[in-house]
Amino acid sequence: MSTQSKVEEVLLSVPQTSDDTKTKRPKASKKKPKPAKDLLFRSVGESLAGQLFSRSKLDNICTCCALPAGRQRDQTILLSSIAHSAHGTGSRPCGSSCCGSSSSSQTLVEPSSDSDALSSHHSSNTYGRSSSESSLPLGRMGFVPLSTSTSLPQINIPGRDHMSKAEVVETLAGRYGKVSHMVILDRSYNFFVNKAQTGALCYKVQNQVAVVAGDPLCEPYLFSDILDEFKAYRKQFHWGIAFMGASDSLVKHARQQRWATLQFGAERVLNPMTNDVLMERSGKRIIVQNKQLLNPNKGGVTLGVYAPANGADPSLQSELMGIYESWRHQRNQSAGAAQAFITVYNPFDFPNLMIYIYTRGPDGSANGFAALRRVGANEGYHLDPCIAAPGAPKGISDLLAYAAMALLNQMNVSYLSLGYEPLTTLGDVSGLPSTIEKITRSLYRHTFQRLPLGGKKAYHDKFRPDPFLDSELYLVFPSGVPGLRHMLAMVHMANISIRKLVRSEAKPASHKDSPEDQ
């Protein structure tokens, strides 16, 4: 470029007046920029992430716990895929200083125990479940990472010929799992794996009906194949079939087959990257409460994080399982009404899908925990359970939900499911004659108006779910109009007590007939 052209560019960049004189530049503002607000979630998230991803020595980095600095912020990080890539490439796992304890001295997060640094990827919580071919002992496996491609079919599992069926289920759940597949942690459910080991179903038999939880764990174009195989298997036992918690993917297939579909609920989802409570744009009461709990001079609560895929800690698992059992006992004792959609978990099954965040009181005892299960179909996690031990300080469960968002924010994960939220009235219905649809809607409304569902919605709302991430959940009946045994099976699957509903009906009736009212 010539000297003349350079001069012309400079002249063009200077504002000119009509008389070719330079205008005065505006005076610089004397106000100092406001310092960035120190948000609580950053310190909480960084402290928790420090236990999962070591940042101490880049020259001796443990690839099972950390990624190169350039990828930590620019790529969605899911724990299980990191663990697999580290061990699959032959990289050396680090010692206890990386995989176990955090070097952070902050009081938000407690130091990890030495057992967190175990290199074992095996747990004592193994058991068997039945499938079409054999029982499924749930062991451990190296996790297959999610593919970033959505255009190519993913049906070939690397090394599947050498994997047990339990490992196939765990891999498929990590890749195609959704919120409805939370029941894989419920040992009363069974698994069906197709012969090609490219898909699986999670189901429970009620009233001679195999009720499948969610969509088949496979690519959508394989739905027909795996359901045909399962149909041949069901014929041996004369089982019917129905689906609970199906997503839009299966509903699209169902409508092509002219099956009956009923929208009964919605999945509520938080976005940890933009959440208003996390960014302190709302939910001030939650923020103040969390700060008080984490203050060493007030609540004295500390947070810890545990990923079994990086080494099992049987002692910690036993402690957290005790919290779960005592919480369940208290809930069942205090429940006066029917509790719908309650599932009994073994939270430490399928550990390669799980991350746990827990709290400890000033005395060092654990008093609450949250389980994060990977939902591969959404490249995120499902939060359930999220509970406080009986007698724990008020706000522990809120703190755990907040901490889960803070951790996922550090991991660049934008999807945290809160689970089911049943509707009080049926939503979209297809595949039913108009008369049957009216009767079905009336029965549903009559039943669900007597269930305590309002509290669940209120709890979800205070964390400000992202409406753009919410999705519909459906009941699907391939037989068309559902028969009595299909409806009873659904009632049992939803943990709705018909006896309690009848009692709730009888109380208002007896009250109307009492002498005082006449």
Side-chain angles (χ1 to χ4, degrees):
M1 181 180 294
S2 66
T3 305
Q4 181 179 358
S5 62
K6 288 182 181 180
V7 173
E8 289 175 353
E9 286 183 7
V10 173
L11 290 174
L12 287 173
S13 65
V14 178
Q16 303 285 331
T17 60
S18 59
D19 57 354
D20 296 331
T21 60
K22 295 182 181 179
T23 59
K24 293 183 179 180
R25 293 186 179 182
K27 293 182 179 180
S29 175
K30 294 182 179 180
K31 292 183 179 180
K32 294 181 179 180
K34 293 182 179 180
K37 188 177 180 181
D38 186 17
L39 300 180
L40 177 64
F41 84 89
R42 291 196 179 99
S43 56
V44 172
E46 288 172 2
S47 297
L48 291 172
Q51 296 188 42
L52 293 178
F53 310 106
S54 174
R55 301 167 184 169
S56 58
K57 295 181 180 179
L58 294 178
D59 58 342
N60 192 25
I61 194 166
C62 170
T63 52
C64 70
C65 298
L67 286 177
R71 292 180 58 199
Q72 287 181 0
R73 295 288 182 179
D74 299 331
Q75 181 175 336
T76 298
I77 304 170
L78 297 179
L79 176 68
S80 298
S81 59
I82 296 169
H84 173 76
S85 63
H87 296 285
T89 57
S91 59
R92 180 183 60 82
C94 68
S96 59
S97 63
C98 179
C99 293
S101 61
S102 169
S103 60
S104 173
S105 60
Q106 299 183 42
T107 58
L108 289 174
V109 180
E110 65 167 19
S112 303
S113 62
D114 292 337
S115 54
D116 287 346
L118 295 174
S119 61
S120 169
H121 285 247
H122 298 272
S123 168
S124 58
N125 293 329
T126 56
Y127 62 100
R129 298 189 193 180
S130 61
S131 72
S132 60
E133 298 178 20
S134 63
S135 62
L136 299 179
L138 298 184
R140 290 289 194 276
M141 59 169 291
F143 206 93
V144 177
L146 285 171
S147 170
T148 56
S149 171
T150 57
S151 60
L152 297 176
Q154 302 174 22
I155 61 173
N156 294 319
I157 302 173
R160 68 184 181 189
D161 293 337
H162 305 287
M163 296 166 60
S164 70
K165 288 186 176 62
E167 293 171 336
V168 172
V169 169
E170 190 169 38
T171 302
L172 293 171
R175 182 175 293 171
Y176 304 112
K178 298 183 179 181
V179 63
S180 297
H181 300 116
M182 58 189 171
V183 295
I184 66 174
L185 300 176
D186 184 343
R187 294 183 178 183
S188 65
Y189 281 77
N190 298 308
F191 300 117
F192 175 87
V193 180
N194 67 346
K195 292 180 180 178
Q197 297 185 350
T198 56
L201 303 173
C202 184
Y203 70 96
K204 181 192 283 190
V205 178
Q206 295 281 1
N207 295 86
Q208 286 295 103
V209 176
V211 182
V212 179
D215 302 355
L217 291 166
C218 63
E219 289 290 334
Y221 76 90
L222 291 174
F223 284 171
S224 293
D225 293 341
I226 190 171
L227 292 177
D228 285 344
E229 284 193 43
F230 190 51
K231 182 178 181 180
Y233 175 65
R234 289 188 290 111
K235 280 186 177 181
Q236 304 175 53
F237 310 100
H238 307 287
W239 293 341
I241 187 173
F243 296 84
M244 174 175 280
S247 75
D248 289 335
S249 298
L250 182 61
V251 168
K252 181 180 179 181
H253 173 81
R255 288 173 178 168
Q256 292 173 350
Q257 305 297 319
R258 297 186 178 181
W259 296 348
T261 66
L262 298 81
Q263 183 194 352
F264 77 97
E267 178 188 6
R268 306 296 301 280
V269 183
L270 305 174
N271 186 340
M273 304 306 297
T274 61
N275 183 264
D276 284 343
V277 175
L278 208 62
M279 305 301 165
E280 299 187 16
R281 294 188 288 262
S282 65
K284 290 183 179 179
R285 182 175 298 180
I286 295 176
I287 303 301
V288 171
Q289 183 176 254
N290 289 345
K291 288 181 178 179
Q292 290 177 343
L293 287 171
L294 294 171
N295 189 324
N297 299 322
K298 293 183 178 180
V301 173
T302 56
L303 287 162
V305 62
Y306 169 53
N310 288 342
D313 186 342
S315 177
L316 177 60
Q317 289 187 185
S318 177
E319 193 174 10
L320 300 184
M321 195 67 193
I323 293 175
Y324 182 67
E325 292 296 342
S326 60
W327 172 81
R328 281 190 57 237
H329 178 74
Q330 183 185 60
R331 183 197 65 194
N332 294 336
Q333 291 294 321
S334 60
Q339 299 180 74
F341 301 97
I342 297 294
T343 302
V344 179
Y345 291 144
N346 188 317
F348 299 100
D349 293 337
F350 292 103
N352 291 304
L353 303 178
M354 307 298 295
I355 301 175
Y356 306 90
I357 299 173
Y358 57 93
T359 54
R360 292 193 185 277
D363 61 351
S365 299
N367 56 14
F369 79 96
L372 296 170
R373 178 182 60 86
R374 180 179 175 185
V375 284
N378 307 109
E379 296 190 350
Y381 286 86
H382 174 211
L383 179 68
D384 192 30
C386 181
I387 57 175
K394 181 182 178 182
I396 288 295
S397 59
D398 288 355
L399 172 60
L400 287 165
Y402 179 90
M405 282 196 289
L407 174 60
L408 296 188
N409 177 277
Q410 288 290 310
M411 297 164 64
N412 281 347
V413 175
S414 59
Y415 194 99
L416 178 60
S417 175
L418 294 173
Y420 281 11
E421 190 175 292
L423 303 177
T424 54
T425 58
L426 282 176
D428 184 40
V429 174
S430 66
L432 293 180
S434 58
T435 304
I436 300 298
E437 180 182 337
K438 289 179 181 179
I439 295 173
T440 303
R441 287 184 179 277
S442 178
L443 288 173
Y444 182 95
R445 182 172 59 253
H446 184 81
T447 300
F448 278 79
Q449 283 179 347
R450 286 152 179 79
L451 296 175
L453 302 177
K456 194 170 190 177
K457 175 175 172 52
Y459 181 77
H460 291 168
D461 285 345
K462 74 177 181 178
F463 287 102
R464 303 296 189 268
D466 188 336
F468 294 102
L469 295 178
D470 292 350
S471 59
E472 295 80 20
L473 296 169
Y474 294 83
L475 306 176
V476 176
F477 300 96
S479 59
V481 177
L484 178 60
R485 65 175 182 147
H486 290 81
M487 297 306 294
L488 288 175
M490 287 297 188
V491 168
H492 288 143
M493 288 288 289
N495 197 44
I496 297 174
S497 171
I498 298 177
R499 183 178 300 177
K500 287 185 177 181
L501 286 175
V502 171
R503 287 177 181 173
S504 65
E505 285 286 317
K507 286 181 180 180
S510 62
H511 180 69
K512 290 179 182 179
D513 297 337
S514 62
E516 291 82 355
D517 292 339
Q518 294 178 355

